[in-house]
Amino acid sequence: MSGYADPSVKVMPVTAEDEVVQFCQELIRIDTSNPGDHSGPGERVAAEYVAEKLAEVGVESQLFEPHPKRTSLVARIAGEDPSREALLLHGHLDVVPARAEDWTRDPFGGEIADGCVWGRGAVDMKDMDAMILAVVRDRLRSGRRPPRDVVLAFLADEEAGGSWGARWLVEERPELFEGVGEAVGEVGGFSLTVPGDRRMYLIETAEKGIAWMNLTARGTAGHGSMVHPDNAVTALAAAVGRLGGHEFPPQLTKTVRMFLERVCLAYGIEFDPADPEAALAKIGPLARMIGATLRHTLNPTRLDAGYKTNVIPQDASAQVDGRFLPGYEDEFMATVDELLGPDIKREFVYHDQALETDYEGALVAAMEAALTSEDPGALPVPYCLSGGTDAKHFARLGIRCFGFAPLRLPADLDFSGMFHGVDERVPVDGLRFGARVLDAFLDRA
Ligand SMILES: [Zn+2]
């Protein structure tokens, strides 16, 4: 018989905290490895999964597939005050590939062990995807609309520059983001434990720019046994040496300066702008990433020349990964060209802007208040990401972008090492904390 509830079955209310862990596990089990071409499984299954979870609470999704299986999802939730600018919450569905033999656990198993959910994407960024889903469902089930319209975007291809995800949507379907003034995505909101058992929470307000360059030297081909002054390999190798060996001086952007000042405050040391490295030395493994935001960087990564030992080739080429600070791109490129000299040809393989927004305003206050509501001693702080995210694409639409995927982490976890790392995992407690903070943030956003 149907139609009557069985009184012996107690239906417990489902909360965001219950669902966030399950969703994170299930999303990890959907392999969305993105090798940078179309040889991976794509994001379609994950996008359909998200669409189904949203449909269950009455949210209609639009799926976009500019290339087979490279699927992104966009949905809009009406807020209480439709006259206000909308808020974009975005997360990418793809992950970088993982070699199972290197891992302690199955990278696509989504297992829970040692208090963590394990798997590729656990922190980058199926954790945040799960948080957004769980929180939105919980709010809609309990009739708690967000104060303003919220646009949700679950995106393909972030790990390869977003050509089939955020970049495509921004270029081809900008109307989807009409009225959006601010956005929240990765990489920020995670904690760093400081003295007094307090935690700094790093909110991303800036990103370095990307200048991947191809360098070519052209000389005269000839026999390897002869006197040969015009050797392309020699010219290229010298130029690569100059770039790779160049030491850029530290330059403090407003974001990095504020970050270091607050680190010093938390550690009770005096901030010395002439010696920013002293503050960095305090923050452990995270210094690897933050250290790269003190200055431009240039790292040669590929070399290609020649086909036989006794043949001098006509051309030699190399690739260099350059990253520049927000506000200093022209100066960076001028230095690159000076180091290269007139005879080396330079082209961009990939180029994208740097970002920086002020750490102020109502949305920042909402993030701070949400963190403090769940961790009363929280010390929120702006920081600059050394890499790039989909925020670079959304910023082109005039949207102010922040990285805020809240996670309270244990003091000893090397969090920055988890990104694209082996044994990527996220603490279960951290996920639950994140869902609570994201919910509290949406109350105030
Ligand atoms: Zn990511």
Side-chain angles (χ1 to χ4, degrees), residues 92 124-125 158-159 186-187:
H92 60 83
D124 187 11
M125 63 175 293
E158 190 275 344
E159 296 292 1
E186 59 173 351
V187 175

Side-chain angles (χ1 to χ4, degrees), residues 19-31 49 53 108-110 117 126:
E19 288 194 334
V20 69
V21 178
Q22 178 201 333
F23 291 171
C24 184
Q25 291 179 282
E26 289 174 356
L27 281 166
I28 288 169
R29 289 178 194 139
I30 304 171
D31 181 357
Y49 171 91
K53 297 291 174 207
F108 300 101
V117 179
K126 288 176 169 171

Side-chain angles (χ1 to χ4, degrees), residues 298-354:
L298 274 174
N299 283 304
T301 47
R302 300 180 76 168
L303 284 170
D304 184 24
Y307 50 91
K308 193 167 188 297
T309 311
N310 63 351
V311 178
I312 296 163
Q314 186 163 296
D315 304 299
S317 66
Q319 294 196 352
V320 179
D321 182 345
R323 308 284 178 137
F324 51 89
L325 296 169
Y328 296 95
E329 179 174 0
D330 292 347
E331 176 213 81
F332 168 77
M333 290 313 305
T335 305
V336 168
D337 287 338
E338 198 179 307
L339 291 167
L340 286 178
D343 299 330
I344 306 287
K345 191 171 133 202
R346 158 176 79 72
E347 296 152 298
F348 286 122
V349 178
Y350 187 82
H351 175 240
D352 212 336
Q353 62 180 337

